[in-house]
Amino acid sequence: MGSKRLPAFNHSNNNDNREKKPKRKEILEKKKAIDDLIKAASADKHPLDSFPSFRHFHKNGLSVYLESGCGDKLSSSTKQYIMGLLKANMEGPYGSEWPTEEKVKRKEMVMPEARYIFVHEAPNASSDEILTMSERKETLTVCLENRGSMVGFVQYRFTLEEEIPVLYVYELQLEPHVQAKGLGKFLMQLIELIARKNRMGAVVLTVQKANLLAMDFYLNKLRYIISTISPSRVDPLIGDEKSYEILCKAFDCEAEAIFKVS
C-alpha cells in the first residue's frame, strides 16, 4: 500500500490559510503604521519651527504673529477668550443648536489631542513696514515677551477618517477687524503644509450651511470640495435635514478615492 495522503480539501484549506495570513498581517501592519503616523504628528508641539516664514503675517494693514499651543495646556484667560470668540462668531450660524454645540466645543477645546495656532497682534507694528528676516525674528521675540492681543485661532487634530490619516480643522476663528485681509487663507496654507509634512492624506473640516461666507471661502477661494462622507453626499434626503457640510482637500490617490465624488 502507498503512503497516506491528506484529503484534497485539507490541502486546499492549508493553502487558503497561507494566503489569508499575509493579507491579515498586511492589514495589521498598515494600521500600526497609520497609528504611528498620527502619534508622531501629535507629538510635535512646535509645528511653526518647520515653517518660520509663517510665524508672521504682515499684509493689508495687518501685522500679526503666530504661536502654537495644546488643548491641555491652555490658561484660564485663553479658554475664556476661545469660548468668547466662538460665541460671537458662531451663535448666529448655529441658531437654536448653539447651546448644545457650545457644551461640545467647551469639551473639545481642552482635549489633550487638540492643537492650536494662536494669532496675536504685533505690538507697535506699522502697517506700512516691510520687515527683513532678521527684523522679523527680533519682532517675534518682542511679541512673545509682550504677548500682543489675541485676535484669532485655529484648532485642529490629527485623526482617522474612513481609515485615512487626516488633519481635521475643528475651528478657524478670527475677530471681525482682522477678517477679509488674507489672514484666513494664510492660516489654511499653513495648516495644509503641516498636514503634508506629517504625511496626512487630507485636510478635513465641517462648515455650517448657514455660514455662507465660510462656505464661499473654502469652496471657491481655497478649492475645497464637499466630501463623500458629508451627509448630503451619503444620503441627500438626510443631508437636507443636516445643518452642516464636511469639506476636504485630498493630497494623495488613496484619500481622493475615499473623499472625492467620482
Side-chain angles (χ1 to χ4, degrees):
M1 293 179 66
S3 60
K4 291 183 179 181
R5 298 178 64 184
L6 291 172
F9 68 87
N10 281 345
H11 183 68
S12 175
N13 283 348
N14 285 343
N15 283 341
D16 287 346
N17 287 338
R18 280 196 295 270
E19 288 173 3
K20 286 178 181 176
K21 283 181 180 177
K23 186 177 180 182
R24 184 171 183 274
K25 183 182 178 183
E26 186 179 316
I27 290 170
L28 292 174
E29 285 177 348
K30 183 178 179 181
K31 185 178 184 302
K32 184 181 183 303
I34 291 173
D35 288 344
D36 289 345
L37 202 65
I38 290 174
K39 285 178 184 176
S42 299
D44 183 5
K45 301 297 193 296
H46 305 285
L48 290 168
D49 288 352
S50 300
F51 308 104
S53 62
F54 278 83
R55 287 186 176 276
H56 269 93
F57 177 85
H58 193 82
K59 194 176 179 182
N60 297 328
L62 181 65
S63 185
V64 300
Y65 72 95
L66 309 185
E67 186 181 16
S68 57
C70 300
D72 56 352
K73 303 293 184 184
L74 302 178
S75 67
S76 296
S77 60
T78 299
K79 293 176 191 175
Q80 187 175 357
Y81 174 82
I82 288 172
M83 292 310 301
L85 186 56
L86 278 168
K87 181 179 175 67
N89 285 355
M90 300 308 297
E91 187 174 19
Y94 275 108
S96 61
E97 297 177 7
W98 174 247
T100 301
E101 286 297 325
E102 185 177 26
K103 292 176 183 176
V104 172
K105 291 179 182 299
R106 196 176 292 277
K107 290 179 181 178
E108 292 173 346
M109 171 180 68
V110 296
M111 296 296 286
E113 60 267 32
R115 295 290 174 268
Y116 286 88
I117 302 295
F118 295 114
V119 184
H120 296 263
E121 282 187 320
N124 303 320
S126 165
S127 61
D128 297 323
E129 287 179 18
I130 298 176
L131 301 179
T132 65
M133 186 59 71
S134 62
E135 287 172 335
R136 287 186 180 195
K137 289 179 180 177
E138 290 173 7
T139 303
L140 178 62
T141 302
V142 172
C143 290
L144 291 174
E145 288 174 354
N146 294 346
R147 283 297 189 278
S149 299
M150 198 181 297
V151 293
F153 67 92
V154 184
Q155 182 198 146
Y156 65 95
R157 296 186 197 181
F158 298 102
T159 187
L160 274 180
E161 286 289 336
E162 302 295 316
E163 303 305 314
I164 300 290
V166 304
L167 186 157
Y168 206 114
V169 178
Y170 275 60
E171 305 289 348
L172 168 53
Q173 301 293 340
L174 297 174
E175 292 191 18
H177 73 279
V178 299
Q179 294 177 17
K181 295 179 181 290
L183 178 57
K185 184 177 181 180
F186 177 82
L187 289 169
M188 286 305 298
Q189 287 173 337
L190 171 62
I191 287 295
E192 290 171 18
L193 286 171
I194 292 172
R196 287 178 179 275
K197 174 184 176 290
N198 288 283
R199 295 160 58 200
M200 297 293 110
V203 171
V204 182
L205 51 91
T206 303
V207 181
Q208 290 298 112
K209 291 178 182 176
N211 195 343
L212 299 180
L213 288 176
M215 289 292 288
D216 178 69
F217 173 68
Y218 289 113
L219 293 175
N220 297 323
K221 294 182 179 177
L222 299 187
R223 302 297 181 187
Y224 277 66
I225 62 167
I226 298 175
S227 171
T228 53
I229 63 174
S230 192
S232 66
R233 295 287 191 256
V234 174
D235 186 334
L237 293 177
I238 295 175
D240 286 343
E241 298 172 2
K242 298 295 183 181
S243 61
Y244 64 89
E245 296 281 11
I246 298 174
L247 311 185
C248 74
K249 181 180 283 188
F251 301 134
D252 59 43
C253 295
E254 189 176 6
E256 283 192 359
I258 296 294
F259 295 128
K260 289 186 73 172
V261 179
S262 57

